[in-house]
Amino acid sequence: MSDIRHSLLRRDALSAAKEVLYHLDIYFSSQLQSAPLPLVDKGPAELLEEFLFQVPKERGAPPKRLNSLQELQLLEIMCNYFQEQTKDSVRQIIFSSLFSPQGNKADDSRMALLGKLVSMAVAVCRVPVLECAAFWLQRTPAVYCVRLARALVDDYCNLVPGSIQTLKQIFSASPRFCCQFITSVTALYDLSSDDLIPPSDLLELIVSWIFEDPRLILITFLNTPIAANLPIGFLELTPLTGLIRWCVKAPLAYKRKKKASLSNGHPPSKIAKDSTSGEDRDCHQLYSKLHLSVLQVLMMLQGHLTEKNLYGRLGLVPFDHVVPLVEEINRLSDELNPLNASKEIELALDRLAQALQVAMASGALLCTRDDLRTVCSRLPHNNLLQLVISGPVQQPTHGALPPGFYPHIHTPPLGYPAHAAHPALPAHPAHPALPAHPVQTFIPGMTFPYRPIR
């Protein structure tokens, strides 16, 4: 590697970067013939940092900087390399060696270049780069995935109005990237503050993707070998938890935002007020559509989990994430005052109840009813939520689930407890006979028609 470095030092920055990619391609192609997952040695990693990320090798040396034109040319070189490399395994390992965080001073340059590369790949529809980025999002700690998501949102939602249409078009080109992008965006925008409410353009984009094909959010789960225990600190297998958080918290988060704008001492003009009200109304309709799609996906999961032999073993909606969600709803409800936000609180709790009911019935949420009752005990009263956490009358243990888990909601109750006999009532005069009505019999296995609360 030292000979290669000396030859690269004599070149200009762009030709040196191109030469580094060429040497790495040869190096990893030969490595892959002897090992399926070769490790990146120190030598190639140092070449990448010095000639691609412009991090000087000598301590104390000033960092090199490319001008804007050189940076654009470098991005074009990298896009073309990944487009022309026909072996997917080589592409993946080169992308991973380029952009996997190393915990050193090169990481900032690494992440900045990655954001610009993926943004360019979206603009010119370079599918190999998007596919590599999808795998990178799946294998990289969530804190870095959120940084990439923020860079893309800035480029396509904030920087140039109307450019969101370019991002929208990659739905058919790389569904895997779209799935991972949604997961990272829901991790970024958790509605914990007004700044972390997703932009309306981004919300409309994601809802249009999912409403067109709800199975989009299961692509990573369906196409990835999965263990029952998932690594901590990485993105989840699906964006389901994040999307449930969006739908449930949205009524309260938008109410809080409206309350803050009224309490800052500067009431909005009539035009601004009408515009804001119209935009919020559109957003609420989008969240309603999104809620419907999420329920549809949850209903699909039982078959997929059974097929992968993970039913009752893997919770795609982790209970550990439900707990903080319930706490946030309780805090927001107290903050907004039930007297002033009763409709919003009712809608949020209705959506939470529906999501919990369907998730538990499909095996996506694994917890006992006692656990759920304990977690939800401090929430404001809601009839639907009360029905869900109470559950049907206790039945025999379900064969596929551990004892104590929520029984399937489609099965009929075994019976009702006996009541004390009432005293006899005085006889009434006989009425003329009425025509008999048909008896409504119970049909086993008949599905319950879930309808989202709008």
Side-chain angles (χ1 to χ4, degrees):
M1 288 294 174
S2 60
D3 294 339
I4 295 174
R5 180 175 181 271
H6 287 306
S7 68
L8 294 174
L9 287 171
R10 295 192 292 268
R11 295 173 175 266
D12 64 88
L14 292 177
S15 61
K18 195 170 185 177
E19 191 72 12
V20 166
L21 289 174
Y22 169 76
H23 284 293
L24 284 179
D25 188 283
I26 295 174
Y27 174 78
F28 284 118
S29 295
S30 61
Q31 289 283 317
L32 283 168
Q33 293 178 359
S34 56
L37 292 172
L39 298 175
V40 182
D41 293 335
K42 184 179 179 181
E46 289 179 346
L47 289 180
L48 286 173
E49 291 179 2
E50 185 174 3
F51 295 102
L52 269 169
F53 304 122
Q54 310 303 315
V55 177
K57 187 176 182 181
E58 295 79 11
R59 290 183 178 179
K64 306 172 187 176
R65 295 195 181 279
L66 300 178
N67 61 41
S68 298
L69 179 60
Q70 288 176 320
E71 193 173 66
L72 182 61
Q73 292 172 324
L74 174 60
L75 293 172
E76 186 179 10
I77 288 170
M78 297 175 73
C79 260
N80 289 338
Y81 165 75
F82 287 109
Q83 187 72 22
E84 294 166 4
Q85 172 55 257
T86 56
K87 294 182 179 178
D88 184 61
S89 56
V90 176
R91 273 202 306 262
Q92 293 291 345
I93 194 168
I94 294 284
F95 196 93
S96 177
S97 61
L98 281 171
F99 297 114
S100 292
Q102 303 298 317
N104 56 25
K105 59 184 179 180
D107 279 354
D108 286 340
S109 300
R110 198 186 310 273
M111 290 303 302
L113 190 63
L114 173 63
K116 293 171 183 176
L117 177 65
V118 177
S119 184
M120 174 182 271
V122 169
V124 296
C125 199
R126 289 288 186 265
V127 176
V129 177
L130 297 176
E131 290 291 303
C132 288
F135 281 105
W136 181 91
L137 286 166
Q138 191 177 333
R139 300 168 182 172
T140 306
V143 63
Y144 295 101
C145 301
V146 165
R147 289 176 64 177
L148 176 58
R150 187 184 295 277
L152 293 175
V153 171
D154 285 343
D155 284 350
Y156 287 96
C157 296
N158 302 331
L159 190 60
V160 181
S163 58
I164 192 74
Q165 293 302 319
T166 304
L167 184 58
K168 190 174 185 177
Q169 293 171 2
I170 66 168
F171 171 71
S172 56
S174 180
R176 189 191 301 269
F177 174 78
C178 294
C179 176
Q180 291 299 114
F181 176 70
I182 294 171
T183 308
S184 56
V185 161
T186 56
L188 170 60
Y189 292 101
D190 61 0
L191 286 83
S192 59
S193 68
D194 292 347
D195 294 334
L196 294 177
I197 294 176
S200 55
D201 285 348
L202 178 66
L203 174 64
E204 184 178 2
L205 166 76
I206 290 176
V207 173
S208 69
W209 280 350
I210 297 175
F211 200 75
E212 183 174 341
D213 186 0
R215 294 170 298 176
L216 172 69
I217 59 181
L218 296 180
I219 284 181
T220 302
F221 165 67
L222 295 177
N223 293 280
T224 305
I226 299 167
N229 297 320
L230 300 177
I232 299 173
F234 292 76
L235 291 180
E236 297 181 51
L237 278 171
T238 74
L240 277 169
T241 304
L243 294 174
I244 291 172
R245 185 191 304 117
W246 277 18
C247 297
V248 171
K249 289 181 66 177
L252 303 176
Y254 280 82
K255 183 70 173 180
R256 177 192 59 201
K257 184 179 179 181
K258 183 178 180 181
K259 179 183 176 183
S261 66
L262 292 174
S263 61
N264 63 9
H266 300 284
S269 64
K270 185 177 185 305
I271 296 176
K273 186 177 180 180
D274 291 344
S275 175
T276 303
S277 299
E279 183 177 330
D280 286 353
R281 189 163 49 250
D282 292 342
C283 287
H284 289 312
Q285 291 175 354
L286 290 171
Y287 283 113
S288 183
K289 289 177 66 175
L290 181 61
H291 183 55
L292 171 61
S293 298
V294 168
L295 294 180
Q296 289 173 336
V297 173
L298 287 172
M299 292 176 69
M300 300 176 192
L301 277 177
Q302 184 171 358
H304 293 309
L305 287 167
T306 303
E307 185 180 326
K308 285 178 169 281
N309 196 29
L310 291 170
Y311 186 72
R313 298 172 56 223
L314 175 68
L316 288 176
V317 180
F319 182 68
D320 290 344
H321 294 186
V322 172
V323 175
L325 174 59
V326 171
E327 291 173 351
E328 290 166 16
I329 296 169
N330 190 53
R331 180 183 57 80
L332 275 172
S333 301
D334 291 342
E335 179 184 329
L336 291 172
N337 186 345
L339 295 177
N340 300 323
S342 58
K343 291 182 179 178
E344 290 79 6
I345 293 173
E346 187 77 7
L347 178 57
L349 294 178
D350 281 342
R351 287 179 177 173
L352 174 67
Q354 286 188 331
L356 292 177
Q357 182 179 11
V358 184
M360 295 176 80
S362 64
L365 174 60
L366 304 179
C367 67
T368 64
R369 286 180 294 158
D370 288 339
D371 291 336
L372 201 59
R373 225 177 272 126
T374 302
V375 169
C376 298
S377 61
R378 296 181 59 191
L379 288 173
H381 178 77
N382 176 270
N383 290 336
L384 183 57
L385 182 61
Q386 193 64 37
L387 182 63
V388 171
I389 63 178
S390 298
V393 177
Q394 187 62 46
Q395 305 164 44
T397 304
H398 194 291
L401 294 174
F405 275 83
Y406 191 89
H408 204 282
I409 63 172
H410 299 323
T411 52
L414 293 179
Y416 297 95
H419 293 279
H422 293 282
L425 296 175
H428 290 276
H431 291 280
L434 296 175
H437 293 278
V439 177
Q440 180 66 47
T441 57
F442 176 78
I443 305 176
M446 187 172 182
T447 58
F448 183 83
Y450 297 108
R451 291 178 295 178
I453 300 297
R454 296 183 182 270

